[in-house]
């Protein structure tokens, strides 16, 4: 009994505490001026209900959309008056985020009003800040929708502007706060009409890597309102101007530079530099960070830029302000000429910092400066790349793109440097099957996850290397031929393992390209194509029934152009085990893409498809030079057609005359007959 009373006393005490905290108690810590608000605890019964509701929405256990909407409405009704404590609770905040994603305009506005006067506190909270971000994105979409409609009783714009006013006293505190800075970045994006990024994609500018992983784990997916830019009312431009001026007012050059290299604040400063041109012709933030565009080299600025070029956070900041069209071209050109031009190669060697600045400059500077950077890097290109550590693979791809944009500037030298790095023993003038060094050096097959059956493959490094190799094959056909020869040098079992691999299969698929008819396929290349196709013999069915291999078999339809015997051989393999192929999800798609029903029942029609493919292959180009035998056959065909037409005309004339004679004789008889009757 004593135990029961004890539990009762604790429960009573807990209940009293909860009742004491039903009304929000807002405090401000003296040190940081950051609001620290307690909105009450969610009691055990409420927690059970909302936890079950969150689970129901997560698994989407509804027979229809109407049933789901009815459920959401009932949960919204149950949450009324409890919104603030729900969004600051770890478990219930997930439910509130899901509800917002499904909410209708009235429900969004109701929630907005419930948060009124507490938006600042919610933005500084670990859990409610995420809920607030989702609410802001949906609100931006609703504001755009209302702009094209007649005036509402209380438009979303008014509620939004009222909320913006709440944040103004705390903007400087939000800039470098772990949670509030994300809300501030989203507000700036909305006010400037920029695209609102996904909260789950790995390249999202809004969330940290850790946050995006967490969202994936709780299986919250964005709706169609994300990854979009929205039209904004005129009031938003004024609000953006005021936000910028408030933040700039309390920041001097020393503080601005500190924020640029602060892990949390740096993305906010990047964004302010990017959008300030919309409302500030003086570009206040740029000139808080860097000197005026007519100033010469400055010792303090030089030290700061050097830090940006060598620090991970700083280099992200500088790369972003160069890439994102925030700064005027002359500002970027000044920094480049004063602090970077005389050491391009040195910066390119900084594979985790400075190299990203060089990559960004390749697409922002004037053509003459781009060619200068290429001249500096290309002779040392092979020494800058390290595949084993996946260093500077991005630089290699950006260098190729920059070369293409400059009319294939120094293309042959780039190709030579790449072969020197990855296939030093390969003879470009006389390519022959020798070794697998090119594949090994680029993909690092030895020690890779090739052949693994566990779920821990492929790795991020393998993806990078595969994409790099695909880029090389796209850049020049010499790399394609080299890859073919390396495939042939591999043991067949290992090659087939590549076809079943999550990323290496893409390399195989991307290598199956034929030289366009306009360029003309050399005979040695055609022979190599046949030899490569021989590797697939006997493996077609196995590949067709695999999620990755099936894509390769699909691609073989195009790859066997002008090789009907090989096409027929692959189709015959599929037919020989048709039951197995058709029983497989992936096999059925291959069966369809290879038009196997025609092959099985109407072989002539299937061969017509093959002929049609060949016609289209040549039809994409100008009239090709025909062989003598083709010209002779065409001449014979024309002669035959002419004789047939003459014979047809002669026969037609004879038939016509005969018909006229018969009709004339009949006419005379009828005349006589009618005469007798009269």
């Amino acid at each position: 009994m004593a135990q029961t009373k004890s539990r009762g006393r604790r429960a009573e005490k807990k209940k009293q505490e909860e009742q004491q905290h039903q009304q929000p108690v807002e405090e401000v810590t003296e040190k940081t001026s950051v609001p620290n608000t307690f909105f009450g605890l969610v009691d055990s019964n409420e927690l059970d209900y909302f936890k079950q509701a969150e689970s129901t929405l997560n698994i989407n256990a509804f027979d229809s959309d109407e049933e789901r909407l009815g459920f959401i409405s009932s949960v919204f009704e149950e949450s009324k008056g409890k919104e603030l404590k729900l969004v600051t609770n770890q478990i219930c905040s997930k439910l509130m985020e899901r509800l917002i994603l499904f909410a209708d305009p009235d429900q969004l506005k109701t929630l907005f009003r419930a948060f009124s006067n507490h938006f600042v506190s919610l933005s500084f909270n670990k859990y409610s800040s995420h809920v607030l971000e989702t609410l802001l994105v949906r609100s931006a979409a609703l504001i755009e929708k209302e702009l094209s409609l007649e005036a509402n009783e209380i438009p979303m714009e008014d509620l939004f502007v009222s909320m913006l006013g709440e944040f103004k006293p705390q903007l400087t505190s939000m800039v470098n706060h772990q949670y509030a800075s994300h809300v501030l970045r989203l507000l700036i994006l909305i006010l400037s009409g920029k695209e609102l990024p996904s909260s789950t994609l790995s390249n999202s500018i809004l969330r940290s890597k850790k946050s995006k992983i967490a969202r994936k784990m709780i299986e919250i997916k964005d709706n169609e309102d994300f990854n979009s830019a929205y039209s904004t009312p005129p009031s938003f431009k004024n609000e953006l101007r005021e936000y910028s001026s408030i933040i700039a007012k309390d920041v001097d050059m020393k503080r601005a530079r500190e924020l640029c290299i602060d892990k949390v604040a740096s993305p906010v400063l990047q964004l302010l530099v990017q959008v300030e041109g919309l409302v500030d012709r003086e570009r206040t933030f740029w000139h808080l960070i860097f000197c005026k565009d007519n100033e010469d080299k400055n010792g303090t600025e030089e030290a700061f830029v050097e830090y940006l070029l060598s620090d991970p956070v700083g280099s992200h900041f500088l790369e972003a302000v160069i890439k994102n069209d925030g700064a005027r071209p002359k500002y970027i050109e000044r920094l480049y000429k004063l602090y970077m031009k005389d050491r391009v190669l040195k910066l390119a060697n900084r594979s985790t910092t400075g190299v990203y600045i060089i990559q960004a400059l390749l697409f922002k500077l004037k053509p003459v400066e781009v060619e200068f950077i290429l001249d500096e890097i290309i002779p040392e290109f092979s020494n800058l790349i390290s595949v084993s550590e996946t260093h500077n693979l991005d630089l290699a791809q950006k260098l190729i793109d920059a070369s293409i944009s400059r009319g294939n500037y120094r293309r042959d030298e780039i190709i030579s440097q790449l072969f020197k790095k990855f296939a030093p023993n390969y003879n470009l003038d006389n390519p022959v099957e020798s070794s697998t060094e090119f594949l090994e050096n680029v993909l690092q097959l030895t020690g890779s996850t090739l052949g693994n059956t566990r779920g821990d493959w492929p790795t991020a490094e393998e993806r990078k290397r595969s994409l790099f190799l695909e880029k090389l094959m796209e850049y020049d056909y010499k790399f394609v031929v080299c890859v073919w020869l390396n495939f042939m040098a591999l043991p067949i079992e290992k090659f087939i393992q590549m076809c079943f691999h999550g990323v290496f299969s893409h390399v195989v698929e991307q290598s199956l390209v034929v030289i366009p008819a306009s360029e003309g396929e050399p005979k040695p290349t055609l022979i190599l194509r046949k030899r490569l196709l021989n590797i697939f013999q006997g493996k077609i069915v196995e590949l067709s029934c695999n999620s990755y291999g099936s894509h390769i078999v699909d691609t073989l339809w195009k790859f066997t152009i002008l090789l009907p015997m090989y096409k027929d051989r692959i189709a015959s393999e599929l037919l020989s085990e048709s039951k197995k192929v058709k029983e497989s999800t992936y096999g059925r798609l291959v069966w369809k893409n290879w038009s196997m029903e025609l092959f099985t029942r109407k072989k002539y029609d299937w061969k017509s498809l093959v002929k049609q493919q060949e016609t289209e292959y040549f039809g994409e180009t100008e009239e090709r030079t025909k062989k003598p035998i083709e010209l002779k056959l065409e001449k014979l065909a024309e002669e035959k057609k002419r004789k047939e037409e003459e014979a047809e005309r002669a026969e037609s004339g004879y038939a016509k005359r005969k018909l006229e004679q018969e009709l004339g004789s009949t006419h005379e008889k009828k005349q006589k007959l009618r005469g007798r009757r009269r």
Side-chain angles (χ1 to χ4, degrees):
M1 290 296 292
Q3 277 188 331
T4 306
K5 287 179 181 178
S6 176
R7 283 201 299 272
R9 285 197 300 271
R10 285 199 297 269
E12 187 65 31
K13 186 178 179 182
K14 184 178 177 183
K15 186 176 180 182
Q16 288 172 359
E17 287 175 354
E18 288 173 1
Q19 288 172 346
Q20 288 171 5
H21 294 302
Q22 287 303 307
Q23 295 299 318
V25 180
E26 189 157 320
E27 301 173 359
V28 177
T29 58
E30 293 180 6
K31 289 183 181 179
T32 61
S33 299
V34 171
N36 181 18
T37 311
F38 181 68
F39 295 108
L41 297 171
V42 182
D43 68 38
S44 56
N45 291 332
E46 291 174 331
L47 189 63
D48 288 343
Y49 170 79
F50 290 116
K51 191 174 180 180
Q52 182 61 45
E54 198 275 331
S55 177
T56 304
L57 277 175
N58 183 23
I59 62 174
N60 198 22
F62 305 101
D63 293 331
S64 64
D65 290 344
E66 291 75 17
E67 186 181 334
R68 183 176 63 190
L69 289 172
F71 178 79
I72 289 167
S73 296
S74 66
V75 178
F76 259 118
E77 195 63 35
E78 185 65 31
S79 68
K80 279 186 179 177
K82 307 168 188 172
E83 295 94 343
L84 294 167
K85 67 177 181 180
L86 291 176
V87 295
T88 51
N89 177 280
Q90 181 179 4
I91 295 171
C92 298
S93 63
K94 292 186 289 184
L95 167 68
M96 295 303 289
E97 203 167 347
R98 291 192 201 280
L99 289 176
I100 291 168
L101 288 170
F102 291 114
D104 62 33
D106 289 337
Q107 289 167 337
L108 287 177
K109 290 178 182 180
T110 300
L111 204 53
F112 226 90
R113 293 189 200 97
F115 291 167
S116 182
N117 298 321
H118 301 292
F119 279 106
V120 173
S121 297
L122 297 179
S123 71
F124 282 85
N125 180 275
K126 181 178 181 178
Y127 305 114
S128 56
S129 60
H130 290 312
V131 179
L132 192 52
E133 287 171 39
T134 305
L135 179 63
L136 292 177
V137 172
R138 293 230 52 210
S139 301
L142 181 55
I143 289 168
E144 181 189 68
K145 194 178 291 182
E146 289 185 350
L147 286 175
S148 60
L149 302 173
E150 294 180 6
N152 290 264
E153 289 183 14
I154 304 178
M156 192 72 217
E157 179 189 348
D158 290 355
L159 294 172
F160 202 92
V161 170
S162 174
M163 173 202 67
L164 292 172
E166 290 186 37
F167 285 116
K168 288 172 185 175
Q170 290 289 344
L171 288 178
T172 51
S173 300
M174 294 174 74
V175 170
N176 61 342
H177 187 272
Q178 185 179 4
Y179 308 119
S181 62
H182 292 273
V183 176
L184 177 57
R185 280 151 64 185
L186 186 54
L187 288 171
I188 294 169
L189 286 169
I190 292 171
L191 292 175
S192 57
K194 299 290 183 182
E195 182 176 306
L196 308 184
S198 164
S199 57
T200 55
L201 292 179
S202 59
N203 61 350
S204 169
I205 64 168
L206 191 60
R207 301 235 186 195
S208 65
K209 186 176 180 180
K210 188 176 179 182
S211 170
K212 284 174 284 197
I213 293 171
R215 275 180 71 83
K216 284 185 178 181
M217 287 177 68
I218 62 174
E219 299 175 358
I220 291 182
K221 297 177 182 177
D222 300 333
N223 69 0
E224 66 279 0
D225 290 344
F226 289 79
N227 283 331
S228 298
Y230 295 102
S231 301
T232 58
S235 62
F236 278 23
K237 200 167 187 178
N238 296 328
E239 292 292 339
L240 178 62
R241 184 181 292 109
E242 192 172 350
Y243 263 47
S244 297
S245 62
I246 289 171
I247 296 170
K249 184 179 67 175
D250 294 330
V251 176
D252 58 12
M253 183 170 279
K254 181 176 181 294
R255 178 59 178 157
R257 289 176 174 176
E258 287 173 354
L259 292 172
C260 290
I261 56 177
D262 179 88
K263 192 174 182 180
V264 174
S266 184
V268 179
L269 269 290
Q270 292 169 25
L271 199 51
L272 287 168
V273 169
Q274 183 184 343
V275 305
E276 67 175 335
L278 298 172
V279 293
D280 181 9
R281 294 182 64 185
E282 300 301 317
R283 309 290 176 117
T284 302
F285 281 102
W286 179 270
H287 292 117
L288 272 172
I289 300 163
F290 302 106
C291 296
K292 301 288 183 184
D293 52 286
N294 57 359
E295 289 188 33
D296 292 330
K297 187 179 284 190
N298 174 290
T300 308
E301 182 183 53
E302 184 177 17
F304 173 65
V305 172
E306 175 55 34
Y307 189 88
L308 294 181
L309 292 167
S310 55
D311 174 68
V313 175
S315 61
H316 273 297
F317 171 80
L318 188 53
E319 180 193 12
V321 297
I322 292 172
K323 284 170 63 176
N324 292 332
D325 298 321
R328 289 177 174 143
K330 63 180 180 179
Y331 296 167
I332 295 168
E333 195 171 336
R334 174 185 172 272
L335 292 178
Y336 162 71
K337 287 182 175 178
L338 289 180
Y339 307 116
M340 292 174 257
K341 184 172 181 177
D342 60 349
R343 54 198 188 118
V344 165
L345 197 59
K346 183 180 178 182
L347 294 174
N349 268 299
R350 297 181 183 176
S351 59
T352 58
T353 54
V355 70
Y356 295 106
I357 313 303
I358 299 299
Q359 289 171 204
L361 289 170
L362 280 170
F363 301 94
K364 288 297 176 182
L365 295 175
K366 292 175 181 175
V368 65
E369 298 297 349
V370 172
E371 290 181 7
F372 175 83
I373 293 175
L374 292 174
D375 289 340
E376 290 286 299
I377 294 177
I378 288 171
E380 297 296 324
F381 191 25
S382 60
N383 298 324
L384 289 171
I385 305 170
S386 171
V387 172
S388 59
E389 299 173 2
T390 61
H391 279 180
N392 287 344
L393 296 188
D394 287 338
L395 173 65
Q397 296 183 57
K398 293 293 188 294
L399 204 72
I400 288 170
D401 289 336
S403 167
I404 292 169
S405 72
R406 300 299 314 131
N408 286 323
Y409 186 75
R410 298 182 74 163
R411 175 192 176 93
D412 291 341
E413 196 174 345
I414 291 174
I415 293 168
S416 174
Q417 284 282 325
L418 287 163
F419 274 110
K420 176 184 172 184
K421 175 71 178 181
F422 298 114
N425 299 309
Y426 183 72
N427 188 339
L428 268 170
D429 300 319
N430 183 29
V432 291
E433 183 181 334
S434 54
S435 70
T436 60
E437 68 170 357
F438 185 61
L439 281 180
E440 186 59 51
N441 288 337
V442 179
L443 297 181
Q444 306 277 293
L445 293 179
T446 303
S448 71
T449 58
L450 192 65
N452 282 16
T453 54
R454 300 192 307 274
D456 60 347
W457 59 275
T459 65
E461 290 74 22
E462 287 169 352
R463 282 193 180 87
K464 283 184 180 178
R465 292 171 191 143
S466 296
L467 288 170
F468 174 63
L469 182 49
E470 288 171 39
K471 181 72 175 180
L472 297 187
M473 291 191 291
E474 184 186 331
Y475 183 48
D476 195 275
Y477 205 77
K478 294 185 186 74
F479 294 108
V480 174
V481 172
C482 183
V483 166
W484 290 358
L485 291 167
N486 275 245
F487 284 160
M488 294 172 200
L490 281 173
I492 290 180
E493 294 76 18
K494 198 166 187 178
F495 172 72
I496 297 301
Q497 283 177 353
M498 286 188 71
C499 297
F500 291 150
H501 192 270
V503 295
F504 296 153
S505 61
H506 292 281
V507 173
V508 178
E509 187 180 346
Q510 295 301 315
S511 75
L512 301 177
V513 287
V514 182
I515 295 175
S518 57
E519 297 176 23
E521 185 178 41
K523 192 171 182 181
T525 307
L526 177 66
I527 293 169
L528 278 179
R529 196 150 56 97
K530 290 178 180 179
R531 289 179 58 199
L532 182 64
L533 284 165
N534 288 335
I535 301 178
F536 291 99
Q537 191 169 352
K539 305 290 183 180
I540 294 297
V541 173
E542 189 181 357
L543 289 169
S544 298
C545 298
N546 178 267
S547 58
Y548 300 112
S550 57
H551 289 287
I552 293 170
V553 180
D554 285 343
T555 308
L556 288 176
W557 174 261
K558 289 183 180 177
F559 190 66
T560 50
I561 185 79
L562 305 179
L563 298 174
M565 185 182 76
Y566 284 87
K567 249 189 183 67
D568 200 283
R569 182 192 293 172
I570 291 170
S572 297
E573 274 196 51
L574 291 170
L575 183 61
S576 67
E577 294 191 60
S578 59
K579 186 179 178 183
K580 182 177 179 180
V581 174
K582 288 180 178 180
E583 285 177 352
S584 162
T585 304
Y586 307 107
R588 282 195 297 274
L589 292 170
V590 172
W591 186 270
K592 180 183 176 183
N593 293 332
W594 270 78
S595 304
M596 287 301 297
E597 291 302 319
L598 286 180
F599 183 83
T600 307
R601 295 183 171 83
K602 297 180 180 179
K603 188 77 173 284
Y604 180 82
D605 289 348
W606 188 82
K607 288 190 174 182
S608 295
L609 277 181
V610 175
K611 287 291 181 187
Q612 182 185 335
Q613 185 193 33
E614 292 177 3
T615 304
E616 289 171 357
Y617 173 71
F618 288 115
E620 293 171 357
T621 67
E622 297 174 4
E623 187 69 26
R624 68 188 178 95
T625 305
K626 294 177 180 177
K627 297 176 183 178
I629 186 67
E630 289 178 308
L631 293 170
K632 188 174 180 180
L633 287 170
E634 282 184 7
K635 190 175 180 181
L636 288 170
E638 286 174 8
E639 184 67 23
K640 183 181 178 183
K641 186 178 180 182
R642 185 179 62 79
K643 287 180 178 179
E644 286 175 351
E645 286 175 352
E646 286 178 356
E648 189 178 336
R649 281 198 298 271
E651 188 177 345
S652 176
Y654 170 76
K656 187 178 179 182
R657 287 194 300 274
K658 188 175 180 182
L659 182 62
E660 286 174 351
Q661 289 173 0
E662 289 176 353
L663 286 171
S665 173
T666 306
H667 183 68
E668 288 177 8
K669 288 179 181 177
K670 285 182 178 178
Q671 289 283 7
K672 289 177 182 177
L673 181 64
R674 283 201 295 272
R676 285 200 300 273
R677 282 181 180 170
R678 282 177 182 170

